[in-house]
């Protein structure tokens, strides 16, 4: 009997908004709505208020929400500070003292290609980068590579998939995440190139190095995993309670995402400026 009930509940639960996908802000909003309605009903018929509240809590537990469309509402109307308080805010771009774009050009890692009137990876650097990609592939130790990059002991690092991100942690603390393993390999290879080509790389903070290799990744035209062509497209990133536009670089060979840049397309269109990556 219990087994059957458990099966029934399992099949009835909506996995999109329950379990690991449960949206905490949506659940809180729905519980407040349920409590308000139950109180109003309870004023007139106390038992009805209680029955309604029990029904509402069960519905929220099973479906993730009581009022249809609440996940959509929180996406649109919850301010970022409130979502952040719930731990649900979209990632904020971080600033560093070193401008990554300037750094890349100052060291001629990125150069102007007059033929196409655009910035590209310096061909010598590109060649070196591919050598480092091959080294990383042969070594087969992402942890050792990350340890070199972060100056943290490999034994204390963990690397693994969390939702759609390749995430690095030390103990429980999240220290970095990448859109794919290809993106991770691209950064670790770039780190080795820059460390060998400059004298100031070791003096930079790890966060600054991360920003610089991340900026370099925007110029990579071929996937380090399968050598497929990386193309740029507009996309929308959606979670349970936020949604934003991105310019995404995706490998046409293996489908790995090399980067995602958050953009405000409406604002870009108003300003009629090209998107500066
Ligand atoms: Zn690929």
């Amino acid at each position: 009997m219990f087994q059957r009930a458990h099966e029934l509940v399992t099949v009835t639960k909506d996995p999109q908004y329950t379990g690991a996908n449960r949206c905490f802000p949506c659940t809180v909003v729905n519980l407040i709505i349920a409590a308000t309605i139950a109180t109003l009903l309870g004023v007139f018929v106390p038992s009805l208020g209680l029955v309604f509240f029990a029904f509402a809590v069960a519905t929220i537990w099973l479906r993730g929400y009581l009022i249809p469309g609440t996940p959509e509402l929180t996406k649109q109307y919850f301010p970022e500070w409130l979502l952040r308080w719930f731990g649900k805010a979209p990632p904020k771009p971080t600033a560093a003292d070193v401008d990554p774009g300037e750094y890349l050009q100052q060291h001629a890692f990125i150069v102007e290609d007059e033929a196409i009137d655009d910035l590209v990876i310096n061909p010598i650097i590109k060649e070196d980068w591919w050598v480092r990609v091959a080294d990383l592939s042969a070594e087969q130790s992402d942890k050792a590579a990350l340890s070199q990059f972060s100056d943290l002991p490999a034994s204390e690092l963990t690397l693994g998939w969390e939702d759609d991100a390749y995430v690095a942690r030390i103990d429980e603390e999240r220290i970095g995440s990448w859109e794919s393993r290809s993106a991770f390999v691209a950064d670790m290879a770039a780190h080795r190139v820059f460390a060998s080509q400059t004298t100031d790389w070791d003096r930079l903070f790890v966060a600054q190095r991360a920003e610089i290799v991340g900026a370099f990744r925007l110029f990579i035209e071929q996937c380090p995993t399968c050598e497929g062509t990386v193309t740029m497209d507009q996309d929308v990133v959606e979670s349970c309670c936020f949604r934003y536009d991105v310019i995404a670089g995706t490998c046409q060979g293996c489908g790995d995402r090399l980067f995602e840049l958050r953009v405000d397309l409406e604002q870009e269109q108003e300003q009629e400026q090209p998107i500066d990556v």
Side-chain angles (χ1 to χ4, degrees):
M1 180 68 193
F2 176 76
Q3 184 62 30
R4 281 207 56 194
H6 182 258
E7 279 168 14
L8 192 66
V9 165
T10 308
V11 292
T12 319
K13 272 179 104 173
D14 182 348
Q16 195 183 350
Y17 297 118
T18 59
N21 291 331
R22 183 178 293 280
C23 168
F24 188 56
C26 312
T27 305
V28 171
V29 168
N30 278 279
L31 284 173
I32 292 169
I33 293 169
T36 308
I37 297 172
T39 308
L40 288 173
L41 288 171
V43 169
F44 300 102
V45 189
S47 58
L48 189 59
L50 275 174
V51 169
F52 173 80
F53 192 64
F55 161 79
V57 170
T59 307
I60 293 165
W61 181 61
L62 287 170
R63 284 200 315 203
Y65 57 88
L66 173 68
I67 312 295
T70 329
E72 290 298 315
L73 286 177
T74 60
K75 264 179 214 174
Q76 285 183 17
Y77 298 112
F78 264 43
E80 268 194 37
W81 65 263
L82 188 55
L83 288 170
R84 185 161 291 110
W85 190 64
F86 283 118
K88 290 284 186 185
K92 275 237 160 194
T94 53
D97 294 326
V98 178
D99 182 272
E102 271 175 30
Y103 185 92
L104 291 172
Q105 287 190 66
Q106 275 167 6
H107 291 80
F109 297 149
I110 298 295
V111 291
E112 184 88 30
D113 183 340
E114 286 174 7
I116 57 168
D117 191 25
D118 206 352
L119 293 169
V120 294
I121 295 175
N122 182 331
I124 297 163
I125 297 298
K126 192 190 278 186
E127 206 172 300
D128 194 2
W129 182 80
W130 277 112
V131 171
R132 313 290 177 164
V133 167
D135 289 348
L136 285 162
S137 169
E139 290 164 23
Q140 291 195 325
S141 177
D142 288 358
K143 259 198 237 180
L146 181 64
S147 171
Q148 281 179 13
F149 175 82
S150 62
D151 297 329
L152 294 166
S155 58
E156 291 176 26
L157 295 169
T158 56
L159 265 164
W161 291 100
E162 293 180 24
D163 297 323
D164 290 331
Y166 197 51
V167 176
R169 289 182 184 272
I170 185 157
D171 295 327
E172 287 303 301
E173 196 187 340
R174 187 174 167 129
I175 55 168
S177 70
W178 290 263
E179 290 83 349
S180 65
R181 188 172 171 275
S182 297
F184 170 82
V185 170
D187 284 5
M188 297 305 113
H191 156 69
R192 291 184 178 188
V193 174
F194 301 164
S196 71
Q197 301 273 351
T198 66
T199 51
D200 63 352
W201 186 252
D202 287 347
R203 291 200 295 272
L204 295 175
F205 291 119
V206 174
Q208 292 172 322
R209 290 186 206 163
E211 292 225 340
I212 294 165
V213 293
F216 182 77
R217 201 177 344 122
L218 306 180
F219 294 90
I220 291 170
E221 294 168 334
Q222 261 183 300
C223 170
T225 305
C226 74
E227 300 186 26
T229 306
V230 177
T231 57
M232 266 205 266
D233 299 291
Q234 272 182 25
D235 201 357
V236 175
V237 169
E238 257 185 282
S239 168
C240 62
C241 32
F242 61 80
R243 175 164 45 201
Y244 53 85
D245 295 304
V246 293
I247 298 290
T250 311
C251 169
Q252 294 307 302
C254 66
D256 271 6
R257 188 151 281 191
L258 266 293
F259 62 84
E260 269 178 12
L261 276 182
R262 190 177 169 183
V263 287
D264 188 338
L265 291 176
E266 283 171 25
Q267 207 176 331
E268 294 285 348
Q269 279 158 8
E270 271 170 31
Q271 291 175 349
E272 290 185 356
Q273 282 178 352
I275 293 159
D276 183 13
V277 296

